[in-house]
């Protein structure tokens, strides 16, 4: 009898769970590593190991015993550091540690983009001691963010130099390496582009339109896919994104590129060499394109070409995050009027108005799938 294929998954929270479930559906034995905190993956995994995802050498030793066919994670920069370290040591497909280090540090990433001629905003590396005089090359307003965090943590828009010190402290407090990046504030709507790469060849999958709370923290309130774009805009996006992926030396797996778009002018904000979080990669891409993106991640991690066979009819997909009681009222209205359009409702925590400070403190979300953008606009504000 043939031995069952094994996959190691780094992380166990609800955003990783679709990867665990997909791997099991594909016949993999799932081995999941994460700090034990009651996350859903602890229960859905075939084997759960209560080891923090940053303990990469401890995980590597355990993986030498497991002998997996693939190592993967979705939607987490921190997890990808461990994925690529462990997979690389085991001789499995992954991105290089050089790629990982550049793509998980916003300052190193900007330098790589600038060197390769990729269009980016002006930027400066900073710490808690940086002053306005150090930033004389940048014009107000500016965005201040940690160099090495995701999930909208520690991000502030600074309109006056008097606000700089407090903004830098918030970013440095949220940074693992205690550094911040200060960058030119770009106008125009914000989008993300989802791709999958295999052995250095990039495949364009989808563009997502992002909705946020706006100033000062820009926490995502929703995402729409596919974003309404012209053919010329799509071409310009693909060209800029692929150049960015090459600059970061991304060769294998999913990627999530955030950018601003003014007409056909693309300015890359950052690229994560991993699937987009907030259910963009795990749910919205499949709903809006018909492609099984999660399976693609597993296939590439196991050394196979990704399949572009459509597994469902493409729809207009929208995720709405819960911040207030009003969001809950919208969900109840949709349950009454169009229950068949509701794709998923997350576990919901008690709504405490005005206490959301970053992505991790939202109270839940729901995902909708419509026949068209026109139909979507009948029910949600886009």
């Amino acid at each position: 009898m043939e031995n069952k294929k094994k996959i190691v998954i780094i992380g166990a929270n609800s955003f990783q769970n679709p990867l665990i479930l997909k791997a099991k559906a594909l016949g993999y034995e799932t081995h999941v590593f994460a700090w034990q905190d009651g996350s859903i993956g602890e229960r859905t995994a075939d084997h759960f190991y209560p080891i923090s995802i940053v303990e990469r050498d401890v995980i590597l030793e355990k993986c030498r015993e497991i002998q997996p066919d693939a190592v993967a994670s979705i939607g987490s920069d921190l997890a990808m550091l461990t994925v690529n370290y462990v997979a690389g040591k085991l001789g499995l497909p992954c991105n290089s540690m050089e790629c990982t280090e550049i793509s998980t540090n916003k300052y190193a990433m900007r330098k790589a983009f600038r060197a390769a001629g990729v269009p980016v905003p002006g930027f400066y590396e900073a710490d808690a001691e940086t002053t306005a005089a150090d930033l004389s090359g940048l014009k107000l307003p500016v965005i201040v963010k940690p160099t090495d965090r995701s999930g909208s943590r520690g991000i502030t828009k600074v309109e006056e130099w008097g606000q700089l010190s407090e903004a830098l402290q918030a970013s440095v407090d949220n940074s693992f390496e205690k550094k911040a990046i200060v960058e030119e504030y770009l106008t125009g709507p914000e989008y993300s582009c989802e791709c999958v790469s295999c052995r250095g060849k990039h495949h364009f999958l989808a563009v997502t339109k992002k909705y946020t709370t706006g100033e000062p923290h820009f926490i995502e309130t929703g995402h729409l896919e596919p974003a309404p774009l012209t053919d010329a805009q799509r071409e310009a996006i693909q060209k800029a994104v692929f150049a960015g992926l090459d600059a970061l030396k991304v060769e294998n797996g999913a990627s999530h590129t955030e950018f601003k778009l003014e007409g056909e002018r693309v300015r890359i904000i950052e690229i994560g060499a991993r699937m987009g979080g907030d259910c963009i990669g795990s749910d919205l891409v499949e709903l809006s394109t018909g492609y099984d993106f999660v399976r693609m991640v597993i296939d590439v991690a196991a050394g196979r070409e990704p399949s572009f066979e459509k597994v469902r009819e493409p729809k207009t997909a929208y995720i709405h995050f819960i911040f207030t009681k009003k969001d809950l009222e919208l969900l109840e209205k949709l349950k009454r009027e169009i229950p068949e359009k509701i794709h998923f409702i997350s576990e919901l925590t008690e709504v405490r108005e005005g206490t959301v400070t970053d992505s991790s403190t939202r109270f839940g979300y729901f995902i909708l799938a419509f026949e068209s953008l026109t139909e979507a606009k009948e029910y949600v504000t886009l």
Side-chain angles (χ1 to χ4, degrees):
M1 185 176 148
E2 189 186 339
N3 285 339
K4 197 168 191 185
K5 294 175 295 183
K6 298 173 187 173
I7 186 169
V8 162
I9 292 168
I10 307 298
N13 66 18
S14 61
F15 288 136
Q16 298 296 338
N17 198 46
L19 180 63
I20 299 169
L21 298 180
K22 179 66 67 178
K24 288 173 77 164
L26 293 172
Y28 283 87
E29 184 178 283
T30 53
H31 295 256
V32 174
F33 290 82
W35 182 257
Q36 190 158 16
D37 62 1
S39 288
I40 188 167
E42 296 174 22
R43 303 186 292 281
T44 55
D46 295 308
H47 302 277
F48 175 72
Y49 306 86
I51 300 169
S52 166
I53 66 172
V54 299
E55 299 280 350
R56 58 191 195 179
D57 283 308
V58 180
I59 293 173
L60 175 60
E61 283 315 303
K62 197 72 196 164
C63 286
R64 291 196 198 279
E65 294 170 27
I66 296 165
Q67 295 187 313
D69 298 276
V71 181
S73 184
I74 54 178
S76 163
D77 286 330
L78 193 57
M80 291 316 296
L81 286 164
T82 299
V83 167
N84 290 326
Y85 178 78
V86 171
K89 294 283 188 187
L90 296 175
L92 294 169
C94 60
N95 286 316
S96 67
M97 287 312 290
E98 182 190 8
C99 163
T100 310
E101 281 153 21
I102 305 171
S103 61
T104 54
N105 184 290
K106 293 177 175 61
Y107 183 63
M109 184 188 300
R110 290 292 192 295
K111 286 199 296 185
F113 286 156
R114 190 157 63 186
V118 175
V120 292
F123 63 93
Y124 186 91
E125 187 184 34
D127 57 28
E129 308 305 313
T130 299
T131 66
D134 299 320
L135 305 175
S136 57
L138 297 179
K139 289 197 187 85
L140 287 170
V142 294
I143 296 289
V144 181
K145 59 175 83 166
T147 53
D148 53 4
R149 290 305 294 267
S150 56
S152 307
R153 293 174 183 86
I155 298 180
T156 311
K157 182 183 180 189
V158 169
E159 303 269 11
E160 299 168 9
W161 290 123
Q163 302 167 318
L164 180 67
S165 179
E166 189 180 340
L168 284 170
Q169 196 61 57
S171 289
V172 167
D173 287 347
N174 276 280
S175 166
F176 296 115
E177 65 169 7
K178 303 302 172 198
K179 294 264 179 72
I181 187 165
V182 183
E183 67 185 19
E184 171 193 354
Y185 175 67
L186 299 179
T187 56
E190 192 169 331
Y191 297 82
S192 67
C193 177
E194 314 310 313
C195 296
V196 67
S197 304
C198 185
R199 302 183 188 98
K201 186 180 181 195
H202 312 307
H203 302 274
F204 179 97
L205 297 177
V207 175
T208 312
K209 185 171 183 188
K210 181 184 290 196
Y211 299 87
T212 75
T213 54
E215 301 167 17
H217 300 304
F218 303 93
I219 306 161
E220 284 93 343
T221 57
H223 300 288
L224 174 72
E225 206 176 284
L229 298 167
T230 65
D231 289 345
Q233 284 176 321
R234 282 176 68 88
E235 277 176 36
I237 291 163
Q238 180 169 318
K239 185 180 175 190
V241 169
F242 283 13
L245 292 170
D246 288 339
L248 299 186
K249 300 179 166 57
V250 173
E251 295 192 337
N252 291 298
S255 61
H256 171 74
T257 303
E258 296 182 352
F259 62 94
K260 287 275 181 107
L261 185 66
E262 292 180 87
E264 285 158 34
R265 189 184 185 204
V266 180
R267 307 280 285 286
I268 304 279
I269 298 169
E270 60 193 60
I271 294 181
R274 41 92 179 159
M275 195 179 266
D278 276 0
C279 301
I280 292 171
S282 57
D283 294 83
L284 299 194
V285 170
E286 182 176 318
L287 285 172
S288 74
T289 66
Y291 298 138
D292 191 338
F293 193 16
V294 179
R295 178 175 185 158
M296 288 178 179
V297 168
I298 294 169
D299 284 344
V300 172
R304 288 191 298 276
E305 288 286 330
S307 164
F308 289 90
E309 180 190 348
K310 293 204 170 168
V311 295
R312 63 188 303 147
E313 206 48 48
K315 308 271 188 188
T316 291
Y318 175 69
I319 182 168
H320 188 95
F321 293 98
I322 293 169
F323 284 69
T324 64
K325 299 267 196 326
K326 201 169 163 189
D327 295 323
L328 285 179
E329 287 164 14
L330 172 63
L331 175 57
E332 289 308 314
K333 178 173 181 280
L334 296 172
K335 278 185 187 171
R336 287 193 304 273
E337 295 180 9
I338 48 164
E340 72 284 359
K341 305 289 181 189
I342 300 173
H343 170 71
F344 184 76
I345 302 171
S346 74
E347 293 176 350
L348 305 177
T349 54
E350 185 192 347
V351 172
R352 299 180 312 285
E353 301 273 348
T355 60
V356 177
T357 54
D358 59 46
S359 301
S360 67
T361 55
R362 296 173 300 200
F363 305 113
Y365 60 87
F366 52 92
I367 300 173
L368 307 168
F370 296 99
E371 296 306 312
S372 65
L373 179 61
T374 306
E375 185 186 51
K377 285 179 173 175
E378 289 176 32
Y379 296 97
V380 290
T381 307
L382 297 171

